[in-house]
Amino acid sequence: MTTSMNTPTPSMPSKPSMPSNSAITSTPERAFFHPTNALWWLYCLAVGLGTIYLVAAVVPALSSTQLAVGTVLPLIAVTAVIFGLVILVLDPFGARSGWLLLAGAVAGGTIATAVSLKGNEYIYATVPQILGAQAGSAWESALAGPMTEEWSKGLCILLIMLIAGAAVARPIHGLLIGAFVGLGFQIVENIIYAANGAFDNANSDLSGAWSTTILRSIIGVSSHWVWSAIAGVGVAIILGRIWGRFRTGLLTAVGLIVLGWFLHFFWNMPIGSGPVGMLVKAVLTLTALAFVVRWVWKQERDFLTEVPSSVDATRLPNPTPAMGDHEAR
């Protein structure tokens, strides 16, 4: 993975193909609102159905813990803003579209969360039957999380990018949209976990909600938004090849999608579940993200310096990636 991020290979040319004017002048905000596009209506329907399912599934737990959950909502909101700002820092080129990022967060918080809740029910019931009660209890989270949550978030990323079309066919768009899909998922999941923590704590609803929320706020720095950001780059590469906007090899795209899945599995593994183990997992996850971001930034610089002369390449940002990109210095 590290090699593919730094040294061009025959399957991954160092520079993408020459972009057309339409790739620069198209407006992602307008591209997303397509009432004549069946995929746009599919998105709206899925968001609606996901919201209805979530309300039906979560309201029973919230109704008995609403006071405790209400006290932790400000912390959940603050951490969501912080992580959102961190994601925006990963876009020094200004490639983001606010509407697409919002659509990603909504999809992650409704569609992906609802699908994952339902899917996890079956996995949690099946894994102990296959592995046995003890092993199944230890490994069910490691299997359920990636198997339901990552593919459902990936479908949300794919759906949004298909609706927006070639205007978001670059890796940096996949990074940003994927990160916000994961962030939306993460926010709603934190609320659900806060309700469950309050409900499960026999001594105090407030203690259960707060201890759960504080822990998840801390570990959230390397959670769903990171995994989905990495997978989103893979989705963008695949679509970019289909639309003729990008030439990076499909193996790179598949590798990134699998990497997002594996990092989730790695995080949920019962091995290294203590404080030291969680710290190690967080560092390794963020290191993987740093390598991906470094590569995405290079692709975006290459793209922008090859656009027609109407774009002033001398004014392009030239950020310094976290892992030490000497070409950017």
Side-chain angles (χ1 to χ4, degrees), residues 34-312:
H34 275 307
T36 58
N37 188 332
L39 292 178
W40 188 82
W41 286 105
L42 176 62
Y43 171 89
C44 295
L45 177 63
V47 167
L49 292 176
T51 302
I52 293 172
Y53 180 82
L54 283 175
V55 170
V58 176
V59 162
L62 286 177
S63 61
S64 59
T65 60
Q66 55 185 327
L67 178 61
V69 174
T71 63
V72 300
L73 286 180
L75 176 58
I76 294 175
V78 169
T79 55
V81 171
I82 292 174
F83 295 144
L85 292 175
V86 170
I87 296 170
L88 296 182
V89 169
L90 302 182
D91 176 31
F93 305 94
R96 58 186 173 271
S97 159
W99 284 110
L100 291 177
L101 300 187
L102 177 61
V106 171
T110 56
I111 303 171
T113 307
V115 171
S116 298
L117 279 177
K118 192 63 178 177
N120 285 347
E121 290 181 8
Y122 293 101
I123 294 179
Y124 278 107
T126 303
V127 171
Q129 297 177 8
I130 298 175
L131 300 181
Q134 185 174 356
S137 177
W139 286 93
E140 58 188 7
S141 293
L143 296 174
M147 289 179 66
T148 61
E149 297 166 12
E150 291 311 311
W151 78 262
S152 60
K153 289 184 295 177
L155 288 179
C156 291
I157 299 168
L158 176 63
L159 178 60
I160 292 171
M161 297 190 74
L162 284 174
I163 293 172
V168 292
R170 305 199 301 277
I172 196 166
H173 296 128
L175 179 81
L176 297 171
I177 294 173
F180 268 85
V181 168
L183 182 60
F185 186 100
Q186 192 169 318
I187 293 170
V188 176
E189 189 181 57
N190 283 350
I191 297 174
I192 295 174
Y193 268 82
N196 291 337
F199 187 82
D200 293 338
N201 192 308
N203 298 319
S204 171
D205 287 358
L206 287 173
S207 176
W210 272 99
S211 59
T212 300
T213 302
I214 291 174
L215 175 62
R216 292 188 62 82
S217 297
I218 295 173
I219 65 177
V221 69
S222 59
S223 186
H224 286 280
W225 71 271
V226 177
W227 307 325
S228 297
I230 293 173
V233 177
V235 174
I237 292 173
I238 293 174
L239 292 179
R241 284 179 59 89
I242 294 174
W243 290 326
R245 304 291 188 189
F246 209 66
R247 294 201 306 261
T248 295
L250 287 177
L251 286 179
T252 300
V254 174
L256 288 168
I257 294 172
V258 172
L259 177 61
W261 186 97
F262 173 77
L263 289 174
H264 193 167
F265 171 81
F266 177 64
W267 179 264
N268 284 5
M269 285 173 56
I271 302 171
S273 57
V276 175
M278 293 173 67
L279 178 61
V280 171
K281 290 179 179 180
V283 170
L284 292 176
T285 298
L286 294 177
T287 300
L289 175 67
F291 275 106
V292 174
V293 170
R294 176 192 183 190
W295 181 80
V296 168
W297 281 359
K298 183 181 186 303
Q299 302 307 309
E300 188 68 4
R301 285 196 301 271
D302 289 346
F303 174 87
L304 293 175
T305 53
E306 288 188 359
V307 298
S309 57
S310 59
V311 177
D312 185 0

